[in-house]
């Protein structure tokens, strides 16, 4: 069977479209990392990726299977090295993803998410510029354009075939880089930053969307110089979007509610806390970063963050998450004498290789 698969590979660049279609259709299912023939594709990564990149730009049916194949293979460094191609990156973003009609946009988002795990590719994504898109965005930076399509494309509101949820993972990865964090805070002509457009999704039903946004918030919070913008109610105003997923159906005392963000006051008895323990931990870690300055700690105290964390801690069943919650309590309840040294060496979340997306 291995020999048969190798015999199929040259047909990916056959001059006849129907032959290319048959070849990629028969290959795609073997590109899963669990396939016993996965190593065959890695052995031919250079020539294979050249063919797959070309197929992505062709007939939609063929491009669909080519994208699936690249998604499955792109968790491997040798494949990402072949995708470290500015022209292909531009085509993926500006022709496939930022499209109101391309039915492959979500597959494009998945592939971009995998590719951005390569620092070299992530840097190229941050460097490329695009033209404003009428009806979508006036931004020219990739981050700005992707944030607009992510916002407007929610629940298939921009492209009726795609929801762009996997862009959340792209933002989370780009926010690990200093340049990525800078661009997330850059404001457009309307004085809105890309980050301000995506923070509202921390309670979205899609685990992919809200999980990526929550991780993006945490990673962006390593930019201590931008904490004022993060907390400013007239700017990003991130605190309510961190606290809301941490809130459950518990009621707060009237004294505790005074000063709380309005969004978390008088929540209904049906309110549910974030179900994923890792995301609860990530939200709490974002709060810890916001306590790294005296200004941040004072603001969190003023907005009654402690009662929210206290209620959450009481209901928490995961011991590790409880420990993180206790760190916040210690930071907020401690005596403020001399200024606590700010975080200098901390680094954003690095996603495990296992997080690479696989298209079944």
């Amino acid at each position: 069977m291995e020999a048969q698969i190798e015999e199929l590979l040259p047909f990916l660049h056959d001059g006849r479209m129907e032959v290319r279609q048959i070849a990629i259709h028969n290959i795609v299912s073997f590109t899963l990392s669990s396939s016993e023939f996965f190593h065959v594709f890695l052995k031919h990564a250079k020539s294979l990726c050249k063919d797959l990149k070309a197929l992505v730009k062709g007939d939609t049916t063929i491009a669909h299977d080519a994208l699936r194949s690249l998604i499955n293979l792109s968790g491997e460094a040798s494949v990402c090295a072949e995708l470290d191609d500015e022209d292909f990156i531009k085509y993926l973003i500006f022709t496939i993803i930022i499209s109101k009609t391309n039915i492959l946009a979500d597959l494009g988002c998945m592939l971009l998410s995998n590719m951005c795990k390569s620092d070299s590719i992530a840097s190229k994504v941050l460097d490329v510029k695009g033209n404003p898109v009428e009806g979508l965005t006036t931004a020219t930076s990739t981050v700005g354009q992707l944030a607009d399509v992510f916002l407007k494309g929610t629940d298939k509101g921009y492209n009726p075939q795609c929801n762009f949820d996997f862009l959340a993972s792209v933002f989370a990865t780009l926010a690990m880089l200093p340049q990525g964090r800078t661009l997330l805070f850059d404001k457009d002509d309307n004085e809105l930053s890309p980050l301000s457009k995506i923070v509202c999704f921390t309670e979205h039903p899609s685990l992919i969307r809200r999980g990526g946004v929550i991780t993006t918030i945490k990673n962006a919070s390593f930019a201590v110089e931008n904490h004022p913008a993060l907390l400013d109610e007239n700017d990003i105003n991130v605190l309510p979007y961190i606290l809301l997923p941490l809130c459950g159906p518990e009621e707060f005392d009237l004294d505790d509610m005074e000063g709380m963000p309005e969004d978390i006051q008088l929540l209904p008895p049906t309110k549910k806390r974030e179900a994923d323990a890792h995301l609860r931990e990530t939200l709490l870690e974002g709060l810890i970063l916001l306590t790294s300055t005296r200004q941040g700690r004072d603001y969190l105290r003023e907005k009654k963050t402690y009662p929210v964390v206290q209620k959450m801690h009481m209901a928490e069943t995961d011991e590790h998450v409880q420990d993180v919650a206790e760190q916040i309590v210690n930071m907020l309840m401690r005596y403020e004498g001399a200024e606590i040294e700010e975080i200098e060496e901390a680094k954003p979340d690095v996603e495990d290789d296992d997080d690479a997306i696989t298209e079944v």
Side-chain angles (χ1 to χ4, degrees), residues 1-2 4-6 8-9 12 23-24 26-33 35-49 52 69 72-73 76 78-79 82:
M1 187 64 179
E2 182 173 329
Q4 292 174 309
I5 291 174
E6 289 192 315
L8 272 176
L9 296 180
L12 292 175
I24 187 62
N26 282 280
I27 283 171
V28 63
S29 62
F30 294 110
T31 59
L32 291 165
S33 60
S35 168
E36 61 181 306
F37 304 111
F38 188 72
H39 67 281
V40 176
F41 303 108
L42 300 186
K43 184 169 68 173
H44 298 281
K46 190 174 185 65
S47 58
L48 174 62
C49 288
L52 291 177
S69 299
N72 293 341
L73 295 167
E76 297 294 322
S78 60
V79 173
E82 300 303 326

Side-chain angles (χ1 to χ4, degrees), residues 189-321:
D189 296 339
N190 296 316
E191 291 298 303
L192 295 173
S193 64
L195 189 56
S196 71
K197 298 174 183 179
I198 70 175
V199 294
C200 59
F201 295 110
T202 56
E203 289 202 303
H204 194 273
S206 166
L207 179 62
I208 299 295
R209 179 172 282 254
R210 74 174 187 273
V213 167
I214 287 169
T215 305
T216 302
I217 291 171
K218 176 191 167 179
N219 288 347
S221 297
F222 281 89
V224 178
E225 69 277 11
N226 286 313
H227 282 190
L230 278 169
L231 295 172
D232 188 344
E233 294 179 21
N234 295 312
D235 201 332
I236 298 173
N237 191 29
V238 76
L239 187 58
Y241 300 112
I242 295 177
L243 295 181
L244 263 173
L246 296 175
C247 290
E250 302 88 1
E251 294 183 0
F252 295 105
D253 295 337
L254 290 177
D255 289 344
D256 287 338
M257 282 195 293
E258 186 175 349
M260 275 186 180
E262 290 184 5
D263 292 339
I264 66 172
Q265 295 183 26
L266 302 174
L267 294 172
T270 55
K271 174 68 174 71
K272 293 184 179 180
R273 188 171 280 108
E274 170 58 53
D276 187 281
H278 175 69
L279 292 184
R280 294 196 300 276
E281 180 182 350
T282 304
L283 288 160
L284 292 172
E285 288 171 341
L287 285 177
I288 289 175
L289 290 170
L290 294 175
T291 67
S292 61
T293 66
R294 176 64 181 268
Q295 180 184 7
R297 293 190 297 278
D298 286 344
Y299 184 81
L300 266 59
R301 291 179 184 121
E302 177 188 336
K303 292 299 178 181
K304 303 296 180 66
T305 299
Y306 169 71
V308 175
V309 176
Q310 181 188 42
K311 296 281 190 186
M312 178 260 179
H313 180 268
M314 292 171 62
E316 183 57 58
T317 56
D318 186 293
E319 290 185 7
H320 187 63
V321 178

